Amino acid sequence: MKDGYEIAVVHGDGIGPEVCGAAIEVLNAALDPGILRFAEYPAGAGHFLTTGESLPEATVQACGAADAILHGAAGLPGAVHPDGTEAGVDFSLKLRFGLDLYANIRPIRLYEGVESALAGIAPGGIDYVILRENSEGLYAARGAGSLLRGDVAVDTLVQTREGIERIVRKAFELARLSDGAPEDGVRRVTCCDKANVLRSYAFFRAVFDRIATEFPDIEAEHAIVDAMSMYLVQRPGHYNVIVTENMFGDILSDLAAATIGGLGMAPSAEVGESNGLFQPSHGSAPDIAGQGIANPYGMVLSAASMLDWLGHRHDDARLLDAAARMRRATEEALASGCLTADLKGSATTREVTDTLCRALAA
């Protein structure tokens, strides 16, 4: 256990500063003063438009040295590199590769008080994790693809044995710590791939099958990605932990978020052996920035995941307790009808933040 923890904060763009600020208030309400020490650093599309640089080296160094990183959101219309790619995403992508944040953990849970896009799903009926390999796959080609004479574009999908092994082991470890799937209580890991068509995914599946033998207490199964997009709508209660390649995980986690109220309810943790980046899955939503109506729940739940990660790394019961209380406060607030506009409510960002802070102070 450490006396205190240094948290690098990158607010980002659009609603990023609003939700990030809300999460910091909630964290301060959940813990005694001084346990978390926040320091802010610039990055993102707005910084790019002002300076021509989306991610200063000083920010990279500070994030690498911090105990954990909190990030709001990134991206603005018109903030693009000459090749047409967005400048705002540089922050997350460069840190993923630079700090080897290989595991992107995206919990998908339907809370009481939140209406699912799926009919007939009770609170708790959707409760699984999408574990996305975060350092390889198709996104490994970022900045390294080819555009030939304006006629042919090529990006290469990369998967290594080491990369697959560690993400698959992480999936089975998460399943072992879980309560199992809502439908039947079975602890299971589902390998989602396109092994029937592409050699790289057949390789992913073969490595998955070998690692699965190390966890005989956990059920292992396969699903082809196109069928999985249907299964997550038809029978979400079946799933416990889903492990998949980078691009597939990115797409499926947004589909999954739609079943639990939207991206505003979707937290995310990107972790490696030594560093962790915590941010909501949603974008910067510049169309509502500054209006005070942004949904901070995804950011708050991401901050709770940060406390869990730090608490387990440093054997700090204070952080683990605070994370549990933040989740309980979130559950109670949602169940009481404290819903933002995206959840078909009228609560402001300020009202949600105050509600959570009051619950933590009680």
Side-chain angles (χ1 to χ4, degrees):
M1 186 174 78
K2 299 175 65 172
D3 291 335
Y5 301 87
E6 305 297 330
I7 310 299
V9 179
V10 179
H11 291 286
D13 307 306
I15 62 171
E18 298 171 59
V19 297
C20 209
I24 291 171
E25 285 189 52
V26 174
L27 285 166
N28 283 329
L31 289 161
D32 291 336
I35 294 178
L36 299 182
R37 296 185 289 268
F38 301 98
E40 299 179 3
Y41 300 95
H47 192 73
F48 172 80
L49 292 174
T50 302
T51 68
E53 184 179 36
S54 58
L55 181 56
E57 182 58 28
T59 298
V60 175
Q61 295 299 319
C63 289
D67 290 298
I69 309 153
L70 274 182
H71 181 228
L76 291 173
V80 296
H81 295 293
D83 64 1
T85 59
E86 289 187 24
V89 301
D90 290 343
F91 174 76
S92 293
L93 290 177
K94 288 184 178 180
L95 287 189
R96 287 172 189 171
F97 297 120
L99 299 180
D100 196 23
L101 307 178
Y102 69 89
N104 189 324
I105 305 167
R106 295 197 168 184
I108 304 296
R109 180 184 175 192
L110 180 62
Y111 286 89
E112 182 180 354
V114 178
E115 182 180 336
S116 173
L118 306 179
I121 304 293
I126 300 174
D127 192 355
Y128 59 87
V129 171
I130 295 178
L131 184 59
R132 166 186 168 195
E133 203 295 317
N134 214 33
S135 63
E136 300 184 343
L138 191 57
Y139 285 0
R142 167 80 172 178
S146 300
L147 179 61
L148 306 177
R149 298 179 298 276
D151 294 317
V152 179
V154 178
D155 287 313
T156 303
L157 189 154
V158 177
Q159 302 198 105
T160 68
R161 182 178 300 278
E162 179 184 2
I164 300 167
E165 285 180 347
R166 66 182 182 176
I167 198 67
V168 169
R169 283 200 175 92
K170 175 73 77 172
F172 279 95
E173 290 164 1
L174 288 175
R176 184 172 277 171
L177 294 172
S178 76
D179 293 327
E183 185 177 84
D184 54 15
V186 173
R187 293 184 175 90
R188 68 168 55 88
V189 177
T190 306
C191 175
C192 178
D193 55 46
K194 194 67 176 173
N196 58 329
V197 174
L198 296 175
R199 182 173 294 171
S200 57
Y201 291 109
F203 177 52
F204 192 105
R205 180 178 291 199
V207 175
F208 172 88
D209 287 344
R210 183 174 60 80
I211 298 300
T213 65
E214 301 174 11
F215 297 85
D217 55 317
I218 308 297
E219 182 179 293
E221 65 176 14
H222 310 119
I224 300 298
V225 65
D226 41 338
M228 175 63 87
S229 65
M230 177 179 68
Y231 298 152
L232 292 183
V233 172
Q234 290 183 330
R235 48 174 182 149
H238 172 78
Y239 295 101
N240 180 200
V241 177
I242 299 165
V243 63
T244 190
E245 176 268 335
N246 210 335
M247 174 67 85
F248 287 171
D250 195 10
I251 296 169
L252 288 177
S253 58
D254 279 21
L255 182 152
T259 69
I260 59 166
L263 285 169
M265 293 303 304
S268 176
E270 301 177 47
V271 302
E273 298 304 323
S274 303
N275 298 92
L277 166 64
F278 302 86
Q279 60 183 334
S281 298
H282 62 67
S284 62
D287 56 322
I288 63 167
Q291 298 180 34
I293 59 173
N295 180 349
Y297 284 117
M299 184 77 238
V300 169
L301 291 169
S302 298
S305 293
M306 180 187 75
L307 295 186
D308 273 333
W309 182 75
L310 285 171
H312 287 297
R313 275 177 57 80
H314 298 282
D315 193 24
D316 195 332
R318 300 172 303 174
L319 304 187
L320 298 174
D321 175 69
R325 290 189 295 112
M326 286 172 63
R327 290 194 177 93
R328 283 198 300 272
T330 297
E331 291 174 8
E332 293 167 1
L334 291 167
S336 72
C338 188
L339 307 176
T340 45
D342 60 313
L343 301 176
K344 301 183 180 179
S346 59
T348 64
T349 311
R350 179 77 266 157
E351 288 169 341
V352 172
T353 306
D354 289 344
T355 298
L356 295 175
C357 288
R358 282 196 301 270
L360 290 164

